[in-house]
Amino acid sequence: MNIVIKTAKDIDCMRVSGKLAAEVLDYITPFVKPGVTTNELDKLCYDYITKVQEAYPSPLNYKPDPNLYAYPKSICTSVNNEICHGIPNDKPLKNGDIINIDITVNKNGYHGDNSRMFYVGNVSDHARRLCKITYECMWLGINQVKPGSFFGDIGYAIQTHAEKNGYSIVQEFCGHGVGQVFHEDPQVLHYGRPKSGPEIKSGMIFTVEPMINQGKRHIRFLPNQWTAVTKDRSLSAQWEHTVLVTDTGYEVLTVSPNTPKRPEFIK
Ligand code: MF3
Ligand code: CO
Ligand code: CO
């Protein structure tokens, strides 16, 4: 494992990329309504990222696995029982859906990565609760970040809160180091034991992006081979931020004017 410690220049560039990635989520928010297709959302984001931000959507043509075809779209749109890597398509969103939109932008060779949940029209109380608890899980994980703590502390905080609320943690996907490489070391597990795993050090940059299921944790893949869904067809939610480790704690890099505020119980 080789966890990169970022330079001052790297950090400046990652602040820029993180802000742009968050601003795409701000931009797309008013378009997420019943009747819109995820392909329409993809096109809007592609145009915004390339024309307004003069950046590149990192997922487009991304090919991490030699046995899998390149990712064909600019964003990931994971609806209801889809866990992650939902590929935009021509099916309209419908009232009551929940959707994760995951945006990664490459600006000046640096990747900013983040995602949020959106409600499509009127959403049931149980779906809202899943999204809210998942958001709290992400923040409880981020809140563990400081030099001298361990990656296992992040996973433990997330897992404890999810399971206390009757939910399960997806184990096949994790957060990741990010910088000039989209996915780099370490793997940031969303479950685990306190004080396990690598030590967290100042200058590391990584994502925290828990995927949490209403039912059991087990997954299967859609025939498109990219999209993970819950095996039991239960709802799944995810939130993601890119985080820098500072000398005293953390700085969230994926911030924009409309970033949702942190939960009250996070200092
Ligand atoms: N943005 C996702 C993550 O949080 C990765 C998407 S890879 C893609 O790590 F190819 F599916 F776009
Ligand atoms: Co990520
Ligand atoms: Co992402």
Side-chain angles (χ1 to χ4, degrees):
M1 181 154 49
N2 174 36
I3 308 180
V4 184
I5 302 295
K6 268 63 179 182
T7 65
K9 184 209 163 203
D10 293 335
I11 291 168
D12 283 345
C13 289
M14 286 299 288
R15 283 199 186 96
V16 171
S17 297
K19 177 166 183 281
L20 291 175
E23 284 174 351
V24 179
L25 288 169
D26 288 0
Y27 162 75
I28 203 63
T29 299
F31 297 100
V32 184
K33 289 199 174 120
V36 76
T37 70
T38 46
N39 264 342
E40 288 165 347
L41 299 176
D42 181 71
K43 171 81 163 72
L44 287 162
C45 290
Y46 174 82
D47 287 345
Y48 188 79
I49 293 165
T50 57
K51 300 189 171 104
V52 177
Q53 299 187 328
E54 300 186 53
Y56 185 82
S58 308
L60 186 59
N61 293 315
Y62 182 57
K63 197 176 182 324
D65 176 351
N67 298 313
L68 185 57
Y69 65 99
Y71 191 77
K73 301 282 175 172
S74 296
I75 68 173
C76 296
T77 51
S78 304
V79 180
N80 295 337
N81 59 312
E82 294 175 352
I83 295 165
C84 64
H85 306 162
I87 303 177
N89 60 38
D90 285 321
K91 196 175 151 202
L93 294 178
K94 58 184 194 308
N95 185 52
D97 286 345
I98 58 170
I99 180 174
N100 174 277
I101 302 182
D102 192 332
I103 302 287
T104 315
V105 303
N106 177 346
K107 179 79 173 180
N108 303 315
Y110 290 83
H111 302 269
D113 188 8
N114 69 166
S115 78
R116 298 179 194 159
M117 294 302 300
F118 297 86
Y119 300 147
V120 181
N122 303 310
V123 167
S124 68
D125 288 345
H126 71 275
R128 283 172 189 265
R129 180 175 175 274
L130 174 68
C131 296
K132 175 174 180 280
I133 299 292
T134 303
Y135 187 65
E136 293 172 358
C137 283
M138 176 188 68
W139 269 106
L140 287 164
I142 292 171
N143 202 41
Q144 292 297 316
V145 175
K146 62 172 189 303
S149 292
F150 294 84
F151 281 94
D153 297 327
I154 299 173
Y156 180 71
I158 292 170
Q159 182 174 20
T160 303
H161 192 59
E163 291 180 352
K164 189 176 76 189
N165 282 285
Y167 298 142
S168 65
I169 308 278
V170 173
Q171 298 193 356
E172 287 81 356
F173 301 95
C174 53
H176 51 92
V178 58
Q180 289 176 282
V181 176
F182 189 171
H183 292 104
E184 59 185 35
D185 286 339
Q187 296 198 7
V188 182
L189 303 184
H190 302 119
Y191 59 93
R193 306 304 310 166
K195 300 201 188 308
S196 68
E199 190 178 332
I200 297 174
K201 295 190 173 137
S202 179
M204 291 179 176
I205 297 182
F206 52 84
T207 71
V208 178
E209 49 177 305
M211 283 142 274
I212 294 186
N213 299 346
Q214 200 169 36
K216 295 202 166 63
R217 70 170 180 84
H218 303 95
I219 77 167
R220 66 180 183 86
F221 285 93
L222 293 185
N224 73 27
Q225 298 178 72
W226 268 102
T227 307
V229 299
T230 56
K231 200 171 184 186
D232 63 9
R233 298 187 165 80
S234 67
L235 293 176
S236 187
Q238 177 177 30
W239 291 81
E240 175 176 31
H241 269 313
T242 297
V243 175
L244 163 71
V245 187
T246 64
D247 289 341
T248 53
Y250 62 84
E251 175 184 333
V252 174
L253 300 180
T254 35
V255 286
S256 59
N258 289 319
T259 302
K261 63 179 195 311
R262 64 187 67 188
E264 298 288 342
F265 56 82
I266 303 289
K267 57 171 184 345

